[in-house]
Amino acid sequence: MNDPILEMRGVSKSFFGIKALRAVDLTVYAGEIHALMGENGAGKSTLMKILSGAYRPDPGGEIRIEGNPVRIEGPLGGRAAGISIIYQELSLAPNLSVAENIYLGREMSRAGLLARGAMREGVGPILRRLGADFLPSTLVAHLSMGQRQLVEIARALHARSKILIMDEPTTSLSAAESERLFALVRQLRAEGLAIIYISHRMDEVYALGDRVTVLRDGRLVGSLDKPEIRADTIVRMMVGRDVSSFYKKDHDPEAGRGHPVLAAIDMADGRRVKGCSLTVHASEVVGLAGLIGAGRTELAHLIIGAAPRTSGQLELEGRPVEIRTPGEALEAGIAYLTEDRKALGLFLDMSCLDNINLAVLGRDAKLGWVLDRDKARERADRAFAGLSIRAANVGVPAGGLSGGNQQKVLLSRLLAIAPKVLILDEPTRGVDVGAKSEIYSIIDNLAKTGTAILVISSDLPEIIGICDRVVVMRAGHIAGEVSRGPHSPLAQEDIMALATGMEHLDA
Amino acid sequence: MPDNGASQAKPAPTTTNGVAAESRRQRVRMLISALGMLPVLLILCIGFHFLSEGRFFTGQNLGIVLQQAAVNTVLAAGMTFVILTGGIDLSVGSILAASAMAGLTLSKMPELGMLWLPAALLTGLGFGVVNGALIALLRLPPFIVTLGSLTAVRGLARLLGADTTVFNPSIPYAFIGNGSLTLIPGVASIPWLSVIALFVIFVSWLVLRRTVLGVHIYAVGGNESAARLAGIKVWAVLIFVYGVSGLFAGLGGAMQAARLYAANGLQLGQSYELDAITAVILGGTSFVGGIGSIWGTLVGALIIAVLSNGLILIGVSDIWQYVIKGLVIIGAVALDRYRLQGSART
């Protein structure tokens, strides 16, 4: 083969002492589609952001483009080095026209005035080459997701990029749009571009990939050439690690499993969730696994009434219940711990005391509306002691606590209502290792006392470590379920296969 | 993972020593933010006292300051509720005018005259609830809705008096506008207007700090999405705060009507909303919501009244008063930001 267009040697990146990438090598040639795979958090996005200039790598590594060492700095650094990235969430300005978006930041002007006409003519040839069915003057807001992606690609070509990175480009595309995109990607390969294609989906990697590189925990696991690309090999490379004893699961799923508490039947929102049913029993911890964007959080939001649903019904302890708002869910005894505690959970400026008591203020109040401050204080003190929340006192603002302590404050708020069903969305995200294992014990204790628990997590070892049963979602559907046998543990490979859709390909 | 790292950047203090130090720092910070603009108010008072050769701290002058601050304090109290939720109410000046007009018109009817006071309050409440409903139920931005009602309600106020000034020299309850409550006969008395303003502040404090609704108001301002997920009826909270703002504007209208025995739909309450907003901001309430206290608002309203009064006392011309007031407001808030740097958001 000819000389590589991109070579990365020993590239590392750490954040606050945590290694997100450890001495990763990557070699990409012109005219190839290079698939980059790995679990959520394996380091794919970090690697990509280094190439775009959004992150600066740790000293020691080397990046060469066409054999010359380069330093990629600042948001325009990647483009200057000939690298363009098409993000999952497209980065176009919907209020501007196609031509204006393609020229964004490098507008043409004539005597200080915007040369709109010249810009429209300038992008014409590229749009024709890509087979676009819209005009340069069209507003991006009027384009479909697939057409917007085309604009992104046109922008990359217009910047004369030699390396195109695509981050899960098909997540928001329809099947037909995806097919068109594949054809286009192949055409670009034939024109000599190097394409780094990040995807979770095995079928896409089969269809497009000339080579596959797998990352795990920020390390390079290895690369496979076209003839070696096999689903089982890739899954083993993506998963391959031991489940540590760090997870706590004392409650006995066989003996303890009680009656069904929560049954969601055929839940759909018409967009991201397409008819999902699941049941959680008393004293059971059910995992809800799946890739990012599979619709897990959206399903949870439907269950608690935080988003409008187009179909489906809920049963609580065998009786149908109508839940339209999160407030009604709490009253019914269904509590939801959000995945985004800063944006959707905590009130960072309010005291821990208020944060903990928020859901039960009305229940505790004297005369229906006067705060019972003694009761609130007692409850907060009990939560601090019971969950070992570390802060100066219950009066400090929640925003000043560490991630783990913030999470425990939020969890205390939910536990204050003594929920029948507890839905935990990424309960240990952004939480240090010590607090993680404490949160696992809390979950285990709740299961022992009969709470039905649904855990959404992208951390597979966590799901396997704490759950009795795992329901896997893929693209808005329930893809299947993995159960623990009497003697066999839950298998990461089975979950991963369901989540990525590889079970059909190997069968 | 990067987000892991970011949230671990601030580890909780683990040693008992660390906890004690953190607790002490926390207390100092709480004290500073509780005091807020109070030092500025005191410095202004003392400064004016010396510059005016001892005419500021006299019983009579302090009575005037309190009376001048009264209506703005009431409006600013309502505005505090609104701004705590991250909103704004630009219509309070117009609502004040419309309420005063409605009250005065009713007071001239022989058999219904005594009802003018509740009528003024209800008029204000009604407009406030309409604002709240538009904001909460139709999800329109508060700035736009209240900018619209600023204009529309002003028109209604003019319509109520057929665009003339309505007089009623024998308006019932006139004492609330011009009388004083005697504390020690012959020695100390306090204008009824100020009594009402202080009572409004006290009730507002009770609601904000001692009721479930109060916590919900802070929660909506601090993080509306989280409040919704936590089961708080955000729409009800919003209708409540705009209702309170309207009700207090109605009360302000009644106070003005009783003081002047007259109201003019065109002139009364012009740009009162700006003074009310200024008082709230001077009082340290965050413009994006969630942080602030009613006591700060009282201090803010007093700063504005002291400035007007003091500048007149030392004989500064009307034109320069505007310039100086504007600069003091900007300077005071700049000082506040500098003082609180790093400890709170805007």
Side-chain angles (χ1 to χ4, degrees), chain B residues 66-81:
Chain B
L66 282 181
Q67 193 167 8
Q68 281 174 344
V71 171
N72 188 35
T73 303
V74 171
L75 294 185
M79 191 70 74
T80 306
F81 280 84

Side-chain angles (χ1 to χ4, degrees), chain A residues 15-16 18 41 46 55 301 304 306 326-327 330 336 338 341-347 349-350 354 358 361-362 365 369-371 373 390 392-393 396-397 399-403 405 413 429-433, chain B residues 1-14 19 22-23 26 30 206-213 215-216 218-220 222-233 289-291 344-345:
Chain A
F15 297 94
F16 306 102
I18 294 171
T46 311
Y55 292 157
H301 281 197
I304 60 152
L330 283 172
Y336 169 70
T338 169
R341 67 173 165 270
K342 285 189 180 164
L344 299 174
L346 284 174
F347 302 91
D349 299 316
M350 290 201 336
D354 282 340
L358 200 75
L361 287 174
W369 60 285
V370 179
L371 293 176
R373 302 206 302 160
R390 279 173 286 276
N393 57 59
V396 300
L401 272 56
S402 74
N405 285 307
R413 182 200 298 166
R429 175 178 289 174
V431 162
D432 58 280
V433 177
Chain B
M1 248 184 296
D3 50 340
N4 264 341
S7 47
Q8 280 171 5
K10 254 201 244 166
T14 42
V19 170
E22 175 63 27
S23 160
Q26 197 75 46
M30 301 263 274
L206 275 184
V207 171
L208 287 173
R209 286 300 185 197
R210 288 286 182 269
T211 68
V212 176
L213 188 58
V215 180
H216 286 184
Y218 278 89
V220 168
N223 191 338
E224 192 176 322
S225 331
R228 207 164 266 132
L229 267 189
I232 293 173
K233 292 189 180 72
I291 304 174
R345 51 202 184 119

Side-chain angles (χ1 to χ4, degrees), chain A residues 255-292:
Chain A
R257 174 161 149 173
H259 58 286
V261 178
L262 175 79
I265 301 147
D266 193 30
M267 306 291 281
D269 66 358
R271 295 180 309 127
R272 307 288 293 276
V273 182
K274 297 158 185 161
C276 292
S277 305
L278 58 82
T279 310
V280 189
H281 299 79
S283 293
E284 187 185 33
V285 182
V286 176
L288 186 55
L291 302 168
I292 289 170

Side-chain angles (χ1 to χ4, degrees), chain B:
Chain B
M1 248 184 296
D3 50 340
N4 264 341
S7 47
Q8 280 171 5
K10 254 201 244 166
T14 42
T15 62
T16 40
N17 238 347
V19 170
E22 175 63 27
S23 160
R24 208 173 314 123
R25 246 184 319 231
Q26 197 75 46
R27 237 171 305 153
V28 171
R29 221 177 290 147
M30 301 263 274
L31 187 69
I32 289 175
S33 67
L35 279 178
M37 283 289 166
L38 198 57
V40 173
L41 176 64
L42 294 178
I43 290 167
L44 279 177
C45 289
I46 295 167
F48 281 129
H49 189 67
F50 284 112
L51 287 173
S52 65
E53 284 147 7
R55 279 178 292 144
F56 184 83
F57 281 117
T58 62
Q60 194 196 358
N61 190 54
L62 288 180
I64 292 172
V65 170
L66 282 181
Q67 193 167 8
Q68 281 174 344
V71 171
N72 188 35
T73 303
V74 171
L75 294 185
M79 191 70 74
T80 306
F81 280 84
V82 170
I83 292 182
L84 277 176
T85 64
I88 190 84
D89 188 351
L90 299 175
S91 65
V92 289
S94 298
I95 293 181
L96 179 141
S99 306
M101 292 302 287
L104 269 168
T105 310
L106 197 73
S107 75
K108 295 178 82 169
M109 299 177 185
E111 63 277 25
L112 296 172
M114 299 301 280
L115 291 178
W116 79 267
L117 192 57
L121 297 181
L122 285 178
T123 307
L125 177 65
F127 284 127
V129 168
V130 171
N131 276 339
L134 289 171
I135 291 159
L137 305 179
L138 297 185
R139 303 271 183 103
L140 298 176
F143 190 95
I144 309 293
V145 169
T146 59
L147 185 65
S149 49
L150 162 85
T151 311
V153 176
R154 175 64 62 191
L156 290 177
R158 292 175 66 176
L159 207 63
L160 276 168
D163 211 11
T164 60
T165 302
V166 180
F167 290 98
N168 184 0
S170 56
I171 187 167
Y173 317 117
F175 71 92
I176 64 171
N178 295 288
S180 288
L181 173 68
T182 309
L183 298 174
I184 310 166
V187 183
S189 64
I190 177 167
W192 272 108
L193 285 178
S194 312
V195 174
I196 294 173
L198 291 177
F199 180 71
V200 163
I201 292 288
F202 178 70
V203 170
S204 302
W205 173 78
L206 275 184
V207 171
L208 287 173
R209 286 300 185 197
R210 288 286 182 269
T211 68
V212 176
L213 188 58
V215 180
H216 286 184
I217 288 169
Y218 278 89
V220 168
N223 191 338
E224 192 176 322
S225 331
R228 207 164 266 132
L229 267 189
I232 293 173
K233 292 189 180 72
V234 174
W235 60 270
V237 170
L238 289 178
I239 291 180
F240 176 82
V241 297
Y242 288 95
V244 165
S245 183
L247 176 71
F248 286 177
L251 179 59
M255 291 158 78
Q256 286 285 44
R259 192 158 113 93
L260 305 170
Y261 304 100
N264 178 302
L266 180 58
Q267 286 154 4
L268 190 69
Q270 280 284 8
S271 73
Y272 276 23
E273 61 279 354
L274 298 183
D275 271 354
I277 294 169
T278 307
V280 176
I281 299 306
L282 278 178
T285 296
S286 159
F287 220 59
V288 294
I291 304 174
S293 80
I294 196 75
W295 300 114
T297 298
L298 176 62
V299 171
L302 286 176
I303 287 178
I304 296 171
V306 165
L307 262 184
S308 306
N309 175 270
L311 290 172
I312 293 169
L313 276 187
I314 62 175
V316 173
S317 83
D318 179 49
I319 302 166
W320 279 103
Q321 283 182 33
Y322 273 93
V323 178
I324 293 170
K325 270 161 88 176
L327 293 179
V328 166
I329 289 162
I330 295 173
V333 175
L335 186 77
D336 200 40
R337 283 293 125 77
Y338 179 72
R339 196 169 50 86
L340 294 175
Q341 220 166 39
S343 71
R345 51 202 184 119
T346 43

Side-chain angles (χ1 to χ4, degrees), chain A residues 478-492:
Chain A
I478 301 284
E481 193 178 306
V482 180
S483 293
R484 191 184 287 276
H487 302 291
S488 61
L490 293 163
Q492 289 201 44

